[in-house]
Amino acid sequence: MIAGLSLLSLVIWVPIAAGVAVLATGSDRNAGLARVLALIGALAGFALSLPLYTQFDNLQAGMQFVEISPWIETFKVTYHLGVDGISVLFILLTTFTTVLVVIAGWKVIEKRVAQYMAAFLFMSGLMNGVFAALDAVLFYVFWEAMLIPMFLIIGIWGGPNRVYAAVKFFLYTLLGSLLMLVAFIYLYTKGGTFEILDFHRLPLTLTEQILIFFAFFMAFAVKVPMWPVHTWLPDAHVEAPTGGSVVLAAIMLKMGAYGFLRLSLPIVPDASHALSGFMITLSLVAVVYIGLVALAQTDMKKLIAYSSISHMGFVTLGFFIFNAYGIEGALVQMISHGFISAAMFLCVGVLYDRMHSRMIADYGGVANKMPIFAAFFVLFAMANSGLPGTSGFVGEFMVIMGAVKANFWYAFLAAVTLIFGAAYTLWMVKRVVFGAVANDHVEHLKDVSSREFLVLGLLAVAVLGMGLYPLPFTEVMHHSVNNLLSHVAQSKL
Amino acid sequence: MIFAMPNLTPALPEIFVLIMVSLILVVDLFLSGKNRFISYALTQFTLLGAAWITVSTSGQDVVHTFNGMFVDDVMADVLKMMTYLAVAAMLVYSRSYIQLRNLFSGEFFVLVLFAMLGMMVMISASHFLTLYLGLELLSLSLYSLVALQRDSAQATEAAMKYFVLGALASGLLLYGMSMIYGATGSLELSKVAAAVQQSAGSRTMLVFGLVFIVAGLAFKLGAVPFHMWVPDVYQGAPTAVTLFIGSAPKIAAFAFVMRLLVEGLQGIAHDWQGMLIIMAVLSMAIGNITAIAQTNIKRMLAYSTISHMGFLLLGILSGSLNGYSGSMFYVLSYVLMSLGTFGMILLLSRKGFEAENIDDFKGLNQRSPWYAFMMLLLMFSMAGVPPTVGFYAKLSVLQAALQAGFVWVVVFAVLMSVIGAFYYLRIVKLMYFDAPEDQSPISSQPDAGVLMSMNGMAVLALGILPQPLMALCAYSIQHSLL
């Protein structure tokens, strides 16, 4: 069938081609056309990604929709794409989020619209590429190329301190990625191929494994971000435009975690086991300490940024306890966090577009003037603090179950911080949404427009749907996760 | 004694260029100012003709002529083709710039072609004397090109520095060559190689000579610690000449290193590897760190060149075919990027205004989104970020160095390239994040504009499909060194 042959390529290249078309509309005189084209591109990308899910064979653990063709023969690099139960959901998440950010930026972005929309479409294609690539060089090319549009998005459409944030974002990620590249080249000189699946089988000594583990760690921990290399994230989030924050939180952070799962664990299993204590400690520090830091924030975007770091701590915790509950929980948590963080940033964006302030102190009693918005905001805040019935609960619950099996105290610490999560989120909501109308600006607020309602509504459906019936998500990943676990359990020494 | 006519076929391109230079020199005497474009057209025709001859005389075999002084192999053909391309592109980029600065004269074209002839001789040399001859022809033409703007004190100063230091380096090189001659009894590279291989002659003397040769080479490449001239000359020379110095001669310098160290002195590779490692590491460090502090873009690019030469050496010092072809790929892609970047400075310059401060790039995205995008591609390529050709250039040399076991050198190189990314990002930042200071329209000639677009697109296209160029480099190295 044609669809199965080139579906992944289409999911990558259609958004990029659409981005080129959007760029071709030129100056802001054609902004309307640029927006429409961008929406068509984003919807096409989403439509193309749906068959990946519907035609996906849940019972098969290996790669599906595989495409392979020679690319750079000199280095035996191939254009090798494929998805398994772990990666397929992230491609859907990416294309879905792209549609949301295009709609969310519809009115808000007024200068250089074509470049803005094109940047998101390019990024969408490149991120799909990261999740689909099965060749290390191809993976690296997508991984790095993605930095360029994000750098421009933060730097051009960002807040007052955007240059600092953009450069910091770029250099931090570049440093990590380059060490990963060195690890790839090392593996190539060992094994004579850049195929990621062949790397999985390559025997390595423990010293080699530990060095490679740290090279990967630099790339992925920065991206996740794990404590203590997380400091770029609050800056980048605060300065980025709403769309940029959404993509950063919903997808880019997931790439780091995905990297651990696709590369670190299977390529260097012994090092991963040996260093699991280290990884769990860092994860728990992120969960507990960053949770406390979030409590002290006065800026809503910063608060959500810290909350993201804390939630991603759950994800890395789930990976390194090496059981199915932990990893599946972490994956569910990643997808759920993709929805929730996107929703939270969009909510802040809605407020920011009206008031041009992100400070909690500038708000109060928003519910009186924006009841529909307040309902959404409270729903997402509840999901963020892990209320049962929302998607936030499922992942955290599964990770904690996994952690109990590994060690009671891990689970205890992780669970205790659910309280922090609830505290900082709900306290923020209380100060922003409830109470008496705080000032004249709030008095003049208008409730969400139909465009904003659409975006938030879609996310609300996703959050509730996944919370009430998570099976469609977990059954896809089940076999691939078990396969991964059995692979990781085998020593390479 | 019978005089045997040497086989002239391998040297036909050189002979053609020489005839054409003489012709242009004479024709130009009879041209008035407004007919000067005839010299320009003749120069471009020379390049085209030379390219045609090179292609039609090319073959797989290594052909020696002039009693082993001159060689024609695949590597020479490929490098020469790239040299013609670089010179032609440089002429297109700088046409309006030199017209506006009264440099559009016969001397300019003649000197450029003589310099190119020097490069071609260097590329095809298989004898110490031929190498030296080519080098001097190139260097002397470059010294005078730098000084071509007679009334500019800065240019004259740069030319003086370049000349004095260049003459010193040539002296070092000659001294080193004489030592090697003393040790091996030959000036012909293949015989030197054989003698070194059999470890005939005194090893001390060989290594002693090698030190001087490497010092001379490092000067010509602009590698630390022989890099002092690079920033001054890049900044002081007219931008058109800087573009020239920054592009084609790097190809010749690469050939020079290959002929001398790899073809001639492979037998003592272990000794020169150590020296190259030190130079590579220092070049990457000093080039990248010093570039951060620059406000003049030509000076900044000069330091960036130094760091790129460090990367180039990484491939050569790994001492494998893989590494040599990696370095060749590096130098070809570097020339492509360098042409584009300096070409952009020329495009933004106009009468009485040199766009040579990095602040002149402010807000370029608002003045011309297309040129800003081209410059963005070039900068990310220089920084080695995919999907641009610069990434594969770095990948090839890093892979070769890692394969040779220089793990820590590679990690160091990678850290340095993060520092390097900072100042390339700064240009992108100025173009995209800042408001323009200078609102005047960009008055580029259509030919230069089209070439700039092709140049930028080539950087991107080779970044997506690097295989043809990589295969070409691997092929030419395999068929030239054995």
Side-chain angles (χ1 to χ4, degrees):
Chain A
M1 67 195 166
I2 304 163
L5 272 177
S6 54
L7 211 49
L8 281 173
S9 281
L10 285 175
V11 166
I12 295 169
W13 296 107
V14 164
I16 292 178
V20 174
V22 170
L23 266 190
T25 61
S27 72
D28 281 345
R29 279 196 305 277
N30 303 324
L33 179 62
R35 291 188 183 108
V36 172
L37 274 177
L39 184 61
I40 294 173
L43 286 172
F46 183 56
L48 285 167
S49 65
L50 285 177
L52 287 179
Y53 181 78
T54 53
Q55 296 176 15
F56 190 84
D57 181 2
N58 290 340
L59 300 175
Q60 205 184 319
M63 292 294 164
Q64 304 185 31
F65 304 101
V66 174
E67 289 171 45
I68 187 162
S69 54
W71 179 29
I72 308 174
E73 284 100 345
T74 315
F75 286 115
K76 299 194 193 68
V77 173
T78 53
Y79 177 78
H80 189 176
L81 301 175
V83 285
D84 63 0
I86 294 171
S87 49
V88 66
L89 292 173
F90 292 106
I91 292 184
L92 270 92
L93 181 65
T94 307
T95 53
F96 176 66
T97 312
T98 309
V99 175
L100 294 185
V101 293
V102 167
I103 301 175
W106 199 264
K107 283 266 164 53
V108 186
I109 300 298
E110 283 160 350
K111 58 167 189 173
R112 282 174 268 171
V113 178
Q115 293 186 356
Y116 178 86
M117 294 297 180
F120 278 104
L121 287 170
F122 284 142
M123 214 149 51
S124 169
L126 296 172
M127 291 186 299
N128 285 336
V130 170
F131 291 123
L134 290 180
D135 182 282
V137 170
L138 190 64
F139 177 85
Y140 186 82
V141 167
F142 284 129
W143 176 275
E144 281 276 276
M146 193 176 69
L147 295 182
I148 301 175
M150 198 62 196
F151 174 71
L152 295 176
I153 287 169
I154 300 176
I156 300 180
W157 295 276
N161 202 12
R162 60 207 157 88
V163 175
Y164 171 77
V167 173
K168 189 172 178 182
F169 160 76
F170 195 97
L171 292 183
Y172 246 82
T173 15
L174 183 70
L175 174 64
S177 319
L178 279 168
L179 290 173
M180 171 173 78
L181 178 67
V182 175
F184 282 156
I185 299 176
Y186 184 82
L187 290 166
Y188 168 74
T189 53
K190 278 293 274 206
T193 167
F194 273 114
E195 292 289 336
I196 292 177
L197 298 179
D198 291 343
F199 285 172
H200 287 186
R201 290 188 286 271
L202 191 68
L204 294 162
T205 68
L206 190 61
T207 322
E208 285 175 325
Q209 288 200 25
I210 285 180
L211 286 174
I212 292 172
F213 183 89
F214 277 109
F216 285 155
F217 175 77
M218 287 299 286
F220 303 140
V222 164
K223 217 46 166 219
V224 167
M226 295 179 76
W227 183 86
V229 286
H230 64 282
T231 62
W232 63 271
L233 185 78
D235 286 313
H237 266 320
V238 168
E239 300 302 332
T242 305
S245 296
V246 168
V247 170
L248 254 179
I251 309 160
M252 278 209 182
L253 305 191
K254 310 302 176 296
M255 278 173 189
Y258 172 75
F260 276 121
L261 221 47
R262 175 69 76 229
L263 297 164
S264 296
L265 292 185
I267 295 178
V268 288
D270 302 297
S272 302
H273 281 292
L275 293 165
S276 65
F278 168 72
M279 295 300 290
I280 289 172
T281 311
L282 290 188
S283 307
L284 286 174
V285 170
V287 174
V288 179
Y289 165 73
I290 300 293
L292 286 169
V293 172
L295 207 52
Q297 298 306 313
T298 55
D299 178 319
M300 285 189 275
K301 265 191 156 179
K302 231 176 190 155
L303 189 145
I304 303 169
Y306 280 113
S307 140
S308 289
I309 304 172
S310 175
H311 280 105
M312 291 306 285
F314 263 102
V315 172
T316 42
L317 174 66
F319 289 166
F320 283 89
I321 50 184
F322 299 106
N323 60 41
Y325 271 125
I327 292 182
E328 283 182 28
L331 283 168
V332 170
Q333 166 83 343
M334 280 158 77
I335 294 174
S336 137
H337 181 255
F339 294 139
I340 298 171
S341 62
M344 292 295 278
F345 278 117
L346 285 166
C347 284
V348 176
V350 167
L351 288 177
Y352 182 79
D353 295 339
R354 289 167 171 70
M355 299 265 289
H356 296 282
S357 166
R358 297 179 308 256
M359 291 299 149
I360 297 175
D362 288 348
Y363 294 88
V366 170
N368 298 315
K369 292 291 151 190
M370 304 172 73
I372 304 173
F373 170 77
F376 278 124
F377 198 31
V378 170
L379 168 70
F380 295 131
M382 291 295 178
N384 199 38
S385 37
L387 185 80
T390 64
S391 62
F393 172 72
V394 184
E396 286 177 10
F397 182 67
M398 286 169 79
V399 172
I400 291 171
M401 284 220 300
V404 172
K405 282 189 180 176
N407 182 325
F408 171 75
W409 292 105
Y410 297 162
F412 178 76
L413 275 174
V416 160
T417 56
L418 286 178
I419 301 170
F420 291 138
Y424 58 71
T425 320
L426 296 181
W427 192 31
M428 174 184 79
V429 170
K430 184 222 149 220
R431 285 179 289 170
V432 171
V433 175
F434 297 121
V437 172
N439 53 42
D440 276 0
H441 297 293
V442 176
E443 182 69 41
H444 293 108
L445 282 177
K446 283 201 171 57
D447 210 339
V448 286
S449 66
S450 50
R451 182 179 53 83
E452 290 161 341
F453 184 85
L454 173 69
V455 172
L456 295 177
L458 282 172
L459 280 167
V461 171
V463 166
L464 286 173
M466 192 172 173
L468 295 172
Y469 190 55
L471 190 68
F473 295 91
T474 48
E475 69 179 5
V476 170
M477 62 184 67
H478 195 66
H479 278 83
S480 299
V481 168
N482 282 337
N483 183 35
L484 175 79
L485 276 170
S486 63
H487 177 89
V488 174
Q490 286 163 6
S491 171
K492 274 188 168 188
L493 295 175
Chain B
M1 178 180 165
I2 304 159
F3 177 76
M5 185 68 185
N7 176 10
L8 289 182
T9 332
L12 270 186
E14 282 80 2
I15 295 168
F16 173 73
V17 171
L18 181 62
I19 294 172
M20 286 304 290
V21 181
S22 316
L23 187 74
I24 294 170
L25 196 58
V26 176
V27 168
D28 191 72
L29 286 177
F30 300 97
L31 291 177
S32 63
K34 64 177 194 289
N35 288 331
R36 194 74 70 199
F37 69 91
I38 294 179
S39 305
Y40 174 81
L42 276 174
T43 312
Q44 292 285 27
F45 169 76
T46 310
L47 297 171
L48 204 64
W52 181 73
I53 296 173
T54 309
V55 170
S56 54
T57 60
S58 69
Q60 279 199 15
D61 304 327
V62 181
V63 188
H64 286 272
T65 184
F66 296 113
N67 299 318
M69 293 184 90
F70 194 90
V71 64
D72 184 25
D73 51 17
V74 183
M75 184 178 87
D77 290 338
V78 172
L79 291 179
K80 276 181 203 166
M81 290 304 287
M82 193 65 193
T83 310
Y84 308 143
L85 192 69
V87 174
M90 165 263 175
L91 288 169
V92 172
Y93 279 136
S94 48
R95 187 169 58 92
S96 97
Y97 180 92
I98 54 177
Q99 265 172 341
L100 294 172
R101 281 158 189 78
N102 295 326
L103 298 173
F104 197 75
S105 54
E107 299 90 87
F108 182 81
F109 301 116
V110 170
L111 285 172
V112 165
L113 285 181
F114 266 127
M116 192 184 81
L117 184 61
M119 295 182 227
M120 292 163 70
V121 172
M122 277 164 82
I123 290 172
S124 268
S126 63
H127 193 277
F128 280 150
L129 289 184
T130 343
L131 265 179
Y132 188 72
L133 204 69
L135 179 68
E136 283 307 282
L137 186 54
L138 166 67
S139 305
L140 287 169
S141 313
L142 286 184
Y143 304 146
S144 4
L145 273 172
V146 173
L148 206 55
Q149 214 167 17
R150 275 193 311 262
D151 41 5
S152 156
Q154 222 185 7
T156 318
E157 186 195 327
M160 277 306 287
K161 272 184 192 157
Y162 193 16
F163 175 68
V164 173
L165 289 174
L168 183 69
S170 299
L172 289 179
L173 197 67
L174 267 188
Y175 189 61
M177 285 175 178
S178 69
M179 284 290 166
I180 305 274
Y181 178 61
T184 61
S186 176
L187 286 170
E188 204 180 316
L189 289 175
S190 52
K191 288 185 184 147
V192 170
V196 172
Q197 213 62 268
Q198 291 153 12
S199 46
S202 144
R203 188 177 160 78
T204 322
M205 204 151 137
L206 263 182
V207 175
F208 192 71
L210 177 72
V211 172
F212 284 95
I213 285 193
V214 168
L217 287 177
F219 178 87
K220 297 298 170 193
L221 277 173
V224 179
F226 304 96
H227 65 290
M228 307 297 184
W229 63 276
V230 183
D232 290 333
V233 172
Y234 271 46
Q235 188 182 4
T239 310
V241 177
T242 313
L243 165 60
F244 186 51
I245 298 178
S247 55
K250 304 295 174 207
I251 303 176
F254 166 75
F256 196 49
V257 176
M258 288 297 290
R259 299 285 183 209
L260 263 179
L261 295 188
V262 178
E263 279 184 27
L265 301 169
Q266 180 75 59
I268 42 173
H270 188 71
D271 295 279
W272 53 256
Q273 266 176 347
M275 299 181 212
L276 293 195
I277 289 179
I278 296 173
M279 293 196 320
V281 165
L282 284 177
S283 298
M284 288 185 287
I286 291 179
N288 277 324
I289 293 170
T290 323
I292 293 176
Q294 306 306 320
T295 54
N296 179 299
I297 188 161
K298 283 158 79 180
R299 214 174 166 81
M300 188 198 95
L301 288 171
Y303 283 107
S304 130
T305 308
I306 296 172
S307 75
H308 281 289
M309 290 305 123
F311 273 98
L312 176 73
L313 289 177
L314 269 190
I316 296 174
L317 65 83
S318 47
S320 58
L321 289 186
N322 216 344
Y324 304 142
S325 68
S327 278
M328 185 166 165
F329 185 77
Y330 200 99
V331 79
L332 297 185
S333 18
Y334 174 72
V335 166
L336 199 63
M337 299 184 261
S338 175
L339 277 173
T341 322
F342 284 110
M344 188 62 81
I345 304 176
L346 291 172
L347 275 182
L348 298 184
S349 300
R350 50 179 184 272
K351 197 170 173 68
F353 172 73
E354 305 273 345
E356 62 175 19
N357 286 318
I358 59 169
D359 283 348
D360 296 328
F361 280 83
K362 269 192 180 169
L364 186 61
N365 185 35
Q366 288 168 44
R367 293 169 69 202
S368 165
W370 179 250
Y371 285 154
F373 179 59
M374 292 297 115
M375 191 68 178
L376 169 106
L377 288 175
L378 289 164
M379 286 295 111
F380 279 118
S381 182
M382 288 256 191
V385 176
T388 55
V389 68
F391 165 67
Y392 299 97
K394 290 221 161 71
L395 178 71
S396 341
V397 291
L398 290 179
Q399 191 272 331
L402 203 58
Q403 198 157 34
F406 300 111
V407 180
W408 296 110
V409 179
V410 169
V411 171
F412 182 81
V414 157
L415 294 180
M416 284 303 133
S417 67
V418 176
I419 296 179
F422 176 76
Y423 58 82
Y424 299 123
L425 277 186
R426 190 167 57 173
I427 304 286
V428 177
K429 173 231 154 199
L430 289 170
M431 292 191 301
Y432 278 85
F433 305 171
D434 290 353
E437 283 177 349
D438 176 3
Q439 295 292 353
S440 51
I442 297 163
S443 54
S444 62
Q445 299 293 318
D447 52 350
V450 169
L451 185 66
M452 176 53 70
S453 310
M454 281 163 57
N455 199 330
M457 281 298 130
V459 166
L460 181 64
L462 283 172
I464 294 170
L465 294 170
Q467 178 58 25
L469 188 59
M470 264 186 193
L472 184 68
C473 291
Y475 175 83
S476 47
I477 293 290
Q478 269 160 17
H479 285 81
S480 307
L481 301 171
L482 275 176

